[in-house]
Amino acid sequence: MKPTPVTEASIHHAADLLRQGQLVAFPTETVYGLGADASNPEAVAKIFAAKGRPADHPLIVHIAGAERMADWADPVPDAAWRLAEHFWPGPLTMILKKRQSVPLAVTGGQDTVGLRVPANPVALRLLQAFGGGVAAPSANRFGRISPTLAQHVAEELDDSVACILDGGPCAVGVESTIIDLSDDIPTILRPGRITRSQLKAVLHADIRLSSQTKIRAPGMMAVHYAPNTMAFLCPADTLIAMADDLCAKGQHIGILAFSAEIAEIPCLHILRLPADAELYEPALYSSLRALDNLALDTILIEQPPETEAWAAVNDRLNKATV
Ligand code: TXA
Ligand code: MG
């Protein structure tokens, strides 16, 4: 399936495909999504088949604006309105109690629903043209690296997708922050570009970080977002020593670094990313894919600092490595 250039006509065509119960891959500011009409359980079932994803893993419903929240969630708590006002459109997903009408196929059988208004203009135009909610996980096979280019979607998914809208590279590059507002204490289920401090500053309340004890989000499983090549996360000095050691054993090594000074030698494929988390994020998944495609023996990833700014990157790297 070749990606389709974005025009007003191709967006309206994609909206028609959604109405017909077909799958449409589309860009968001985080990663590409694999969309289906969220009110149509048969269409939603196609997402699980295309991704090879277990049916009990809930999907995020993408909507065109905060005013649509009440179509999907009941009640919509005051905290949700406040967060929507500050962070939507944008990379924040809120988990709320679902309305009875929301198909269980979308929520993985749970009584809550994930909602997000994406900021990418193509995604917003598609949602406006379609009118309803679009259930969309990241447009990758289950457990694999999320796509940040239309080409990644084309490589990963077959003709089960009726259309791939090519909106260029995703600006944020890591999946949305997920906050669960369905319990008494707001809980972050997945870190993303919007940080806990930013959420706290709006809610003026304590925000828990998920204890990871119950798997409610597939992104919370230990191995996720993973390359096929064996990958290790290590601090700069360990990384250089390990690379030397493995090269001496005849291995071909990929390195993803942002600060480590590493001498170029033939057994190493070094990718250098920016040392600023917000610039590192958009390059992360495409870099992991590029290294994964080289059929290397091992990938060594330089460990970022344990600061809030790097929380999303650390979360994804921990899941991508052994
Ligand atoms: O940035 C994003 O969120 C991207 C783009 C396409 O919007 N989507 C995305 O979808 O990352 P997915 O399915 O790969 O991850 C969505 C996460 C999953 O971990 C899912 O379990 C969680 O959201 N989720 C959705 N509904 C939920 C619910 N009712 N309760 C708990 N977690 C939920
Ligand atoms: Mg995903």
Side-chain angles (χ1 to χ4, degrees):
M1 166 67 47
K2 257 185 65 183
T4 306
V6 169
T7 60
E8 212 42 51
S10 64
I11 288 178
H12 280 275
H13 175 61
D16 279 338
L17 292 170
L18 288 172
R19 274 181 217 108
Q20 292 161 22
Q22 310 243 46
L23 300 184
V24 170
F26 62 98
T28 82
E29 73 279 30
T30 59
V31 300
Y32 274 74
L34 178 62
D37 177 354
S39 67
N40 177 346
E42 277 171 35
V44 170
K46 291 182 186 169
I47 292 178
F48 291 90
K51 278 189 64 111
R53 180 173 178 158
D56 61 348
H57 288 207
L59 304 174
I60 295 170
V61 177
H62 297 71
I63 50 178
E67 68 284 355
R68 304 279 171 82
M69 266 196 291
D71 296 348
W72 301 90
D74 183 25
V76 178
D78 184 49
W81 291 114
R82 291 218 303 279
L83 290 179
E85 195 178 316
H86 276 84
F87 299 112
W88 278 358
L92 179 70
T93 296
M94 295 189 234
I95 307 297
L96 304 174
K97 288 265 184 252
K98 83 175 191 73
R99 276 195 100 88
Q100 217 194 325
S101 54
V102 181
L104 290 170
V106 171
T107 68
Q110 305 195 46
D111 61 357
T112 53
V113 63
L115 295 177
R116 172 161 118 82
V117 179
N120 179 292
V122 178
L124 278 176
R125 274 154 70 202
L126 176 66
L127 290 167
Q128 285 153 4
F130 175 62
V134 173
S138 51
N140 52 280
R141 304 258 328 150
F142 180 64
R144 299 271 303 127
I145 302 165
S146 295
T148 51
L149 285 174
Q151 194 51 42
H152 297 158
V153 183
E155 285 162 16
E156 194 117 340
L157 300 174
D158 58 19
D159 288 348
S160 53
V161 185
C163 169
I164 302 171
L165 285 175
D166 187 350
C170 300
V172 173
V174 292
E175 301 83 348
S176 59
T177 305
I178 302 180
I179 185 165
D180 186 349
L181 298 175
S182 70
D183 271 336
D184 293 344
I185 303 175
T187 304
I188 292 178
L189 299 183
R190 181 175 70 185
R193 173 66 63 87
I194 293 171
T195 63
R196 185 189 193 183
S197 308
Q198 284 176 291
L199 295 166
K200 251 183 166 163
V202 172
L203 291 184
H204 305 294
D206 194 34
I207 299 177
R208 259 194 317 224
L209 288 174
S210 156
S211 65
Q212 312 239 325
T213 45
K214 29 177 199 175
I215 298 174
R216 289 187 69 185
M220 291 163 67
M221 284 164 59
V223 180
H224 209 74
Y225 314 106
N228 290 321
T229 314
M230 180 95 81
F232 296 97
L233 194 54
C234 36
D237 49 346
T238 320
L239 181 138
I240 293 166
M242 256 181 101
D244 282 344
D245 189 44
L246 293 171
C247 281
K249 290 181 176 142
Q251 283 205 15
H252 287 89
I253 308 299
I255 293 182
L256 197 60
F258 62 91
S259 78
E261 290 298 326
I262 303 156
E264 311 263 351
I265 48 174
C267 69
L268 297 182
H269 294 265
I270 305 170
L271 290 185
R272 290 175 199 286
L273 299 186
D276 175 321
E278 293 206 358
L279 302 174
Y280 183 108
E281 284 168 351
L284 172 60
Y285 288 146
S286 54
S287 302
L288 283 177
R289 257 173 209 274
L291 289 173
D292 207 20
N293 287 341
L294 293 174
L296 300 163
D297 297 299
T298 309
I299 298 173
L300 301 177
I301 302 173
E302 182 181 356
Q303 175 123 49
E306 292 288 333
T307 56
E308 184 172 66
W310 289 91
V313 170
N314 280 316
D315 173 74
R316 305 314 187 273
L317 289 180
N318 278 317
K319 288 164 182 158
T321 53
V322 288

